[in-house]
Amino acid sequence: MIARTARAGRLAALLLLAGAVQAVPVQQASADQPTYSAVGAPADRRDVVTWGASADRLGDGVADRAYRLIVHTSVGGTGLRIRLSNAFGDRPITFDNVYAGTQKSGAELVAGSNRPVTFQGARSVTVPAGAVVLSDPLSGRLPAATNLVVSIHSPDAAGPATGHGMAMQNSYVTTGDHTAEAGAANWTVTTGSWYYLDSVSVRPSKGTSAVVTLGDSITDGWQSTTDLNRRWPDYLARRLQKAGSGIQGVANEGISGNKVLADGAGQSALNRLERDVLSQPGVRTVFLFEGVNDIKAHSGVTAKDMIAGYQEIARRAHAAGKCVIGATVAPFKGWPEWDTAAEEVRQEVNAYIRDNSDFDGYTDFDRILRSPYDQERMLPFLDGGDHIHPNDKGMAAMADAVDLKKLGC
């Protein structure tokens, strides 16, 4: 049932593009959301995010349910820490057992790798509504490009659940607490979403930092191959690792259907910037690739509106000491919502992105993906089939277009 629900959720996303600790207020995300807070031990200045996924609402939580979540890291390092999120909850949630290990196959872990995670020395943690909690660091080293397995159990989950709907990765669900088990026998139900886990960090070698990709379903990876880590940020992470760049951490903060200006499919990029991007540890660069959903919605949004949104994101990221790279909006002729009016806005927005001083640089995804025979349309060789989302080859081409030397400004 959960697997069918996950598949339905992916289809809906496509159609939309579809012990108690004192909480410290960080940001009021929007008028109808609880205050976003951080609890538990603070991040260490040596920490760098190695994986991330944007938080959103995921239906209702279920008591006595456990999740075995598979995530693919970017940069390697020591002192693994995980961040659990109750950002969209309306009541506290307790996690009484959390384990982290490495994947052997499916829900099975490498023997001896599954270890308990603590929170200020305790095995159990209660996260207030609207908050995230950071774990204590685990001893040992986590290699780069590892399939990390985080197993969590909540005895009292209820109300709105927090997670990431379109993972493009199979994880596992069970009833009862089987988090300590390395075997897969009790983990037979799959889910295509990540629940409650929203980032993982490590302590890499000195001088290493991360880039966060802030985007929509193209960044989220729709039309890439499930379980093979072929989203364009995954390809970028592999390039950075191979190049030995000073930036090696990559956190994918894409949400299917997301907009720059308006809430809907997730909070807008403006409203989630602090939680999903600026609060991540070790971030050097914000890579902004959003806008197609605002443009194709025909809600009256103008290029001037879009530019103001981009400028606000750049201003806030610069104020936080981050480098900001923009990306042109990719062609989408052939998608049902395309028309000449939307195309005119896209062209005006792209002209701004190519020639402005608000960003520290840009990547021209429009030029990379468009057909030379019809520049309003994606090159068929790179098209995932719906004329707006690239396939695996398109995702790789996007990552290859990023100038690694300019990425750190």
Side-chain angles (χ1 to χ4, degrees), residues 100-102 109-116 180-183:
T102 52
L109 279 71
V110 173
S113 70
N114 200 29
R115 294 186 292 160
E181 300 169 5

PDB file of all heavy atoms in Angstrom, residues 100-102 109-116 180-183:
ATOM      1  N   ALA A 100      22.493   4.217  11.945  1.00  0.00           N
ATOM      2  CA  ALA A 100      23.094   4.554  10.658  1.00  0.00           C
ATOM      3  C   ALA A 100      24.099   3.475  10.272  1.00  0.00           C
ATOM      4  O   ALA A 100      24.895   3.030  11.106  1.00  0.00           O
ATOM      5  CB  ALA A 100      23.788   5.911  10.725  1.00  0.00           C
ATOM      6  N   GLY A 101      24.027   3.046   9.022  1.00  0.00           N
ATOM      7  CA  GLY A 101      24.943   2.037   8.506  1.00  0.00           C
ATOM      8  C   GLY A 101      25.134   2.221   7.011  1.00  0.00           C
ATOM      9  O   GLY A 101      24.736   3.241   6.445  1.00  0.00           O
ATOM     10  N   THR A 102      25.720   1.246   6.366  1.00  0.00           N
ATOM     11  CA  THR A 102      25.918   1.322   4.923  1.00  0.00           C
ATOM     12  C   THR A 102      25.169   0.187   4.240  1.00  0.00           C
ATOM     13  O   THR A 102      25.018  -0.910   4.783  1.00  0.00           O
ATOM     14  CB  THR A 102      27.408   1.268   4.550  1.00  0.00           C
ATOM     15  OG1 THR A 102      28.015   0.135   5.162  1.00  0.00           O
ATOM     16  CG2 THR A 102      28.122   2.517   5.035  1.00  0.00           C
ATOM     17  N   LEU A 109      21.964  -4.326   5.285  1.00  0.00           N
ATOM     18  CA  LEU A 109      23.140  -3.513   5.570  1.00  0.00           C
ATOM     19  C   LEU A 109      24.407  -4.346   5.571  1.00  0.00           C
ATOM     20  O   LEU A 109      24.370  -5.565   5.780  1.00  0.00           O
ATOM     21  CB  LEU A 109      22.992  -2.813   6.922  1.00  0.00           C
ATOM     22  CG  LEU A 109      22.150  -1.541   6.956  1.00  0.00           C
ATOM     23  CD1 LEU A 109      20.669  -1.845   6.764  1.00  0.00           C
ATOM     24  CD2 LEU A 109      22.350  -0.803   8.267  1.00  0.00           C
ATOM     25  N   VAL A 110      25.517  -3.685   5.331  1.00  0.00           N
ATOM     26  CA  VAL A 110      26.820  -4.337   5.473  1.00  0.00           C
ATOM     27  C   VAL A 110      26.973  -4.775   6.922  1.00  0.00           C
ATOM     28  O   VAL A 110      26.706  -4.012   7.855  1.00  0.00           O
ATOM     29  CB  VAL A 110      27.951  -3.359   5.082  1.00  0.00           C
ATOM     30  CG1 VAL A 110      29.311  -3.963   5.397  1.00  0.00           C
ATOM     31  CG2 VAL A 110      27.849  -2.989   3.606  1.00  0.00           C
ATOM     32  N   ALA A 111      27.383  -6.014   7.122  1.00  0.00           N
ATOM     33  CA  ALA A 111      27.508  -6.564   8.476  1.00  0.00           C
ATOM     34  C   ALA A 111      28.426  -5.696   9.331  1.00  0.00           C
ATOM     35  O   ALA A 111      29.527  -5.326   8.908  1.00  0.00           O
ATOM     36  CB  ALA A 111      28.043  -7.988   8.410  1.00  0.00           C
ATOM     37  N   GLY A 112      27.961  -5.358  10.521  1.00  0.00           N
ATOM     38  CA  GLY A 112      28.757  -4.583  11.465  1.00  0.00           C
ATOM     39  C   GLY A 112      28.724  -3.084  11.256  1.00  0.00           C
ATOM     40  O   GLY A 112      29.321  -2.340  12.047  1.00  0.00           O
ATOM     41  N   SER A 113      28.031  -2.614  10.217  1.00  0.00           N
ATOM     42  CA  SER A 113      28.036  -1.173   9.939  1.00  0.00           C
ATOM     43  C   SER A 113      26.924  -0.420  10.659  1.00  0.00           C
ATOM     44  O   SER A 113      27.006   0.804  10.806  1.00  0.00           O
ATOM     45  CB  SER A 113      27.909  -0.926   8.431  1.00  0.00           C
ATOM     46  OG  SER A 113      26.618  -1.270   7.955  1.00  0.00           O
ATOM     47  N   ASN A 114      25.882  -1.123  11.101  1.00  0.00           N
ATOM     48  CA  ASN A 114      24.709  -0.452  11.666  1.00  0.00           C
ATOM     49  C   ASN A 114      24.969  -0.063  13.119  1.00  0.00           C
ATOM     50  O   ASN A 114      25.122  -0.931  13.988  1.00  0.00           O
ATOM     51  CB  ASN A 114      23.493  -1.379  11.581  1.00  0.00           C
ATOM     52  CG  ASN A 114      22.186  -0.629  11.678  1.00  0.00           C
ATOM     53  OD1 ASN A 114      22.100   0.528  11.295  1.00  0.00           O
ATOM     54  ND2 ASN A 114      21.147  -1.301  12.159  1.00  0.00           N
ATOM     55  N   ARG A 115      24.991   1.239  13.392  1.00  0.00           N
ATOM     56  CA  ARG A 115      25.333   1.714  14.736  1.00  0.00           C
ATOM     57  C   ARG A 115      24.294   2.703  15.248  1.00  0.00           C
ATOM     58  O   ARG A 115      23.723   3.472  14.468  1.00  0.00           O
ATOM     59  CB  ARG A 115      26.706   2.374  14.737  1.00  0.00           C
ATOM     60  CG  ARG A 115      27.852   1.402  14.429  1.00  0.00           C
ATOM     61  CD  ARG A 115      29.181   2.092  14.601  1.00  0.00           C
ATOM     62  NE  ARG A 115      29.407   3.123  13.599  1.00  0.00           N
ATOM     63  CZ  ARG A 115      30.281   4.121  13.733  1.00  0.00           C
ATOM     64  NH1 ARG A 115      30.986   4.235  14.856  1.00  0.00           N
ATOM     65  NH2 ARG A 115      30.443   5.009  12.780  1.00  0.00           N
ATOM     66  N   PRO A 116      24.061   2.715  16.551  1.00  0.00           N
ATOM     67  CA  PRO A 116      23.075   3.652  17.110  1.00  0.00           C
ATOM     68  C   PRO A 116      23.563   5.094  17.040  1.00  0.00           C
ATOM     69  O   PRO A 116      24.748   5.382  17.200  1.00  0.00           O
ATOM     70  CB  PRO A 116      22.919   3.187  18.564  1.00  0.00           C
ATOM     71  CG  PRO A 116      24.195   2.468  18.870  1.00  0.00           C
ATOM     72  CD  PRO A 116      24.645   1.836  17.591  1.00  0.00           C
ATOM     73  N   ALA A 180      17.597  -1.728  14.640  1.00  0.00           N
ATOM     74  CA  ALA A 180      18.909  -2.287  14.975  1.00  0.00           C
ATOM     75  C   ALA A 180      19.290  -3.468  14.097  1.00  0.00           C
ATOM     76  O   ALA A 180      20.450  -3.898  14.094  1.00  0.00           O
ATOM     77  CB  ALA A 180      18.930  -2.717  16.445  1.00  0.00           C
ATOM     78  N   GLU A 181      18.349  -3.995  13.332  1.00  0.00           N
ATOM     79  CA  GLU A 181      18.601  -5.193  12.529  1.00  0.00           C
ATOM     80  C   GLU A 181      19.364  -4.837  11.252  1.00  0.00           C
ATOM     81  O   GLU A 181      19.010  -3.904  10.541  1.00  0.00           O
ATOM     82  CB  GLU A 181      17.278  -5.861  12.166  1.00  0.00           C
ATOM     83  CG  GLU A 181      16.472  -6.298  13.384  1.00  0.00           C
ATOM     84  CD  GLU A 181      15.050  -6.720  13.026  1.00  0.00           C
ATOM     85  OE1 GLU A 181      14.727  -6.760  11.807  1.00  0.00           O
ATOM     86  OE2 GLU A 181      14.261  -6.993  13.953  1.00  0.00           O
ATOM     87  N   ALA A 182      20.379  -5.624  10.942  1.00  0.00           N
ATOM     88  CA  ALA A 182      21.122  -5.426   9.700  1.00  0.00           C
ATOM     89  C   ALA A 182      20.446  -6.119   8.524  1.00  0.00           C
ATOM     90  O   ALA A 182      20.632  -5.718   7.373  1.00  0.00           O
ATOM     91  CB  ALA A 182      22.552  -5.944   9.845  1.00  0.00           C
ATOM     92  N   GLY A 183      19.663  -7.147   8.806  1.00  0.00           N
ATOM     93  CA  GLY A 183      19.004  -7.917   7.757  1.00  0.00           C
ATOM     94  C   GLY A 183      17.780  -7.227   7.196  1.00  0.00           C
ATOM     95  O   GLY A 183      17.268  -6.244   7.757  1.00  0.00           O
TER      96      GLY A 183
END
